[in-house]
Amino acid sequence: MKCYFYHKPKRAIEPCTDAEKNKMAKKRLDFLFENQKSLIPKRYLEQWDKVALYNPKGNVETATAILINPEDGAYDLTNKINDLTGKDWTKFTCSWFIFNALPSDLKQEKELDEHIEDHPATFSPTMISDFIKFFTKEGMTVLDPFCGIGSTMEACRRTNRVGYGTELNPKYYNLILKRVPEFKSNIFNCDAALIPTLPIKGIDFCISSPPYWDILNRSTHEFEKKREAKNLDVKYSDEELDLGNIPDYELFLKKLAQIYLNIYDVLNDNAYVVIIIKNVKKGGRMYPLAWDLARMLSNKYVLKDEKIWIQDKVGLSPYGYPFSWASNIIHHYCIILRKEK
Ligand SMILES: C[S@@+](CC[C@H](N)C(=O)[O-])C[C@H]1O[C@@H](n2cnc3c(N)ncnc32)[C@H](O)[C@@H]1O
């Protein structure tokens, strides 16, 4: 017979054998399905006959969680942020993660358009999907002001969220439209500074990776040589509005911060903003770009946290050897901010 109620008497979630509790749980599940569908994520609604009620202490009256497979964890119906089970929620809260480009993502991109490889600095839709799944529920809106070739938009498509964005370079913009035609009317080929003037409103989550100052214009000879040999872009564009072409650090920082400060007004209350960025080096010294940007934005947003992304498959070069200290930077900061009133 199907069990309608689970509890956690010891370390593991177990079916409850009390017939009366199972009867009460079935009644509550029927009520939920009839009257409170909007609280229930789609994947549970689609398999409702497999769903059970859950309360760790075995109290049916106060139970607010549902589950299908106990091993996957339970979903709490009072969850205001996302559609994740408690188990998946906790997994994502680790302050660091290792992620290297996935062959499956690269293959999908290449199949879409051979020019997609032209862009010199993209991130993976799979990696961004994990952020989107944590910071939004299905159907919510996600903004990327620096869309590139549309990795965030592809992540929105995969996770059933609605993507919005801007991208300055028309070549990359056209690739995005080819990739996610369903978001055509939400994506604009323009300067991200114009976002407050565009039909972009009520955004639930913003995730992006801006130019890391003019780092591409100063890439190692090796990087340029390899990409030029394949006829690939070695910078985003020659445009003056391209933030990657501003050589003065303070001016770059000011313009970048202003874009994110403007975005505040198009966000819903309590929306999170994640910015993926690095501290950078120039002329033998470090510029704490990630930290400076976090400090500037925390005058308006609440600075919540950092999550460190490590790419451990990048080859190390003997920078500085044998005279001075110079690291191989293989980590990025995912700065997490929130619009709180
Ligand atoms: C690090 S890349 C983003 C890559 C993107 N995350 C992806 O996976 O494809 C930064 C992007 O910002 C764009 N960009 C630079 N300045 C901009 C501006 N002022 N407004 C909008 N986009 C800009 C560049 O053309 C570049 O594609």
Side-chain angles (χ1 to χ4, degrees):
M1 213 187 88
K2 184 190 158 175
C3 174
Y4 290 101
F5 188 56
Y6 281 72
H7 60 164
K8 198 174 177 183
K10 292 189 195 114
R11 289 174 73 90
I13 299 178
E14 290 176 13
C16 171
T17 50
D18 183 313
E20 190 53 31
K21 286 189 178 182
N22 270 277
K23 215 165 114 193
M24 282 164 67
K26 166 84 171 85
K27 232 168 130 183
R28 281 211 51 206
L29 288 167
D30 288 347
F31 178 83
L32 277 170
F33 193 74
E34 287 307 317
N35 303 291
Q36 295 184 311
K37 274 206 184 92
S38 63
L39 296 180
I40 307 167
K42 205 164 92 202
R43 67 181 186 282
Y44 292 97
L45 288 175
E46 285 170 353
Q47 313 176 66
W48 192 249
D49 56 327
K50 295 190 184 131
V51 171
L53 197 66
Y54 168 65
N55 177 271
K57 295 198 169 116
N59 190 334
V60 184
E61 283 96 343
T62 59
T64 55
I66 53 174
L67 57 76
I68 294 178
N69 292 317
E71 310 85 68
D72 298 337
Y75 174 76
D76 197 308
L77 298 161
T78 62
N79 185 332
K80 286 201 166 55
I81 309 268
N82 57 40
D83 295 333
L84 298 180
T85 63
K87 191 171 174 179
D88 289 339
W89 174 300
T90 308
K91 214 192 273 174
F92 189 79
T93 57
C94 183
S95 63
W96 62 272
F97 64 100
I98 298 173
F99 191 95
N100 298 292
L102 284 185
S104 55
D105 281 336
L106 299 174
K107 184 166 171 268
Q108 191 200 36
E109 284 167 14
K110 260 194 189 160
E111 279 167 4
L112 180 82
D113 192 303
E114 56 177 307
H115 293 294
I116 214 149
E117 254 196 306
D118 286 4
H119 195 292
T122 63
F123 51 39
S124 149
T126 301
M127 185 180 103
I128 298 310
S129 295
D130 287 346
F131 279 88
I132 289 177
K133 283 193 259 174
F134 189 91
F135 288 106
T136 58
K137 290 174 177 280
E138 258 191 80
M140 283 184 159
T141 50
V142 178
L143 169 67
D144 183 343
F146 301 100
C147 268
I149 55 165
S151 312
T152 302
M153 299 301 110
E154 168 65 16
C156 287
R157 192 185 63 74
R158 289 185 194 176
T159 57
N160 293 323
R161 271 66 169 178
V162 184
Y164 285 79
T166 48
E167 167 54 47
L168 191 66
N169 185 325
K171 181 165 80 172
Y172 305 148
Y173 169 77
N174 285 322
L175 287 170
I176 308 171
L177 297 192
K178 196 166 169 192
R179 199 169 188 185
V180 283
E182 60 269 58
F183 301 140
K184 187 172 192 283
S185 55
N186 303 346
I187 302 169
F188 303 87
N189 179 207
C190 68
D191 182 1
L194 297 178
I195 285 174
T197 68
L198 301 172
I200 297 181
K201 299 264 170 317
I203 296 297
D204 296 305
F205 177 48
C206 175
I207 183 161
S208 57
S209 180
Y212 294 1
W213 189 16
D214 62 347
I215 194 172
L216 288 180
N217 297 357
R218 297 178 282 109
S219 301
T220 58
H221 192 50
E222 205 49 34
F223 172 86
E224 276 187 27
K225 242 180 20 195
K226 268 196 203 152
R227 291 189 60 88
E228 268 165 359
K230 290 192 192 168
N231 214 10
L232 302 174
D233 298 346
V234 288
K235 58 195 292 201
Y236 302 127
S237 70
D238 293 319
E239 282 269 346
E240 212 177 301
L241 287 170
D242 183 336
L243 296 185
N245 291 332
I246 305 177
D248 182 79
Y249 181 66
E250 292 302 330
L251 182 63
F252 163 77
L253 199 53
K254 198 169 143 209
K255 292 214 168 194
L256 180 61
Q258 196 53 53
I259 287 174
Y260 287 110
L261 292 172
N262 286 346
I263 285 172
Y264 189 89
D265 290 332
V266 310
L267 298 175
N268 286 328
D269 290 348
N270 295 320
Y272 285 91
V273 174
V274 170
I275 304 171
I276 301 176
I277 197 155
K278 259 182 181 174
N279 290 331
V280 294
K281 281 187 266 179
K282 188 176 191 175
R285 61 168 280 199
M286 177 176 128
Y287 289 78
L289 171 56
W291 304 339
D292 281 341
L293 184 65
R295 183 183 48 78
M296 288 171 86
L297 298 184
S298 61
N299 291 331
K300 196 157 186 179
Y301 294 94
V302 178
L303 177 59
K304 288 290 178 183
D305 226 323
E306 64 187 11
K307 194 167 162 74
I308 294 169
W309 164 28
I310 297 161
Q311 288 175 294
D312 69 347
K313 295 262 189 309
V314 181
L316 301 181
S317 301
Y319 299 132
Y321 178 80
F323 302 111
S324 64
W325 164 259
S327 68
N328 279 270
I329 305 180
I330 58 160
H331 67 284
H332 307 242
Y333 291 90
C334 308
I335 302 170
I336 304 173
L337 304 130
R338 197 179 199 193
K339 173 176 177 172
E340 287 180 0
K341 283 266 163 91

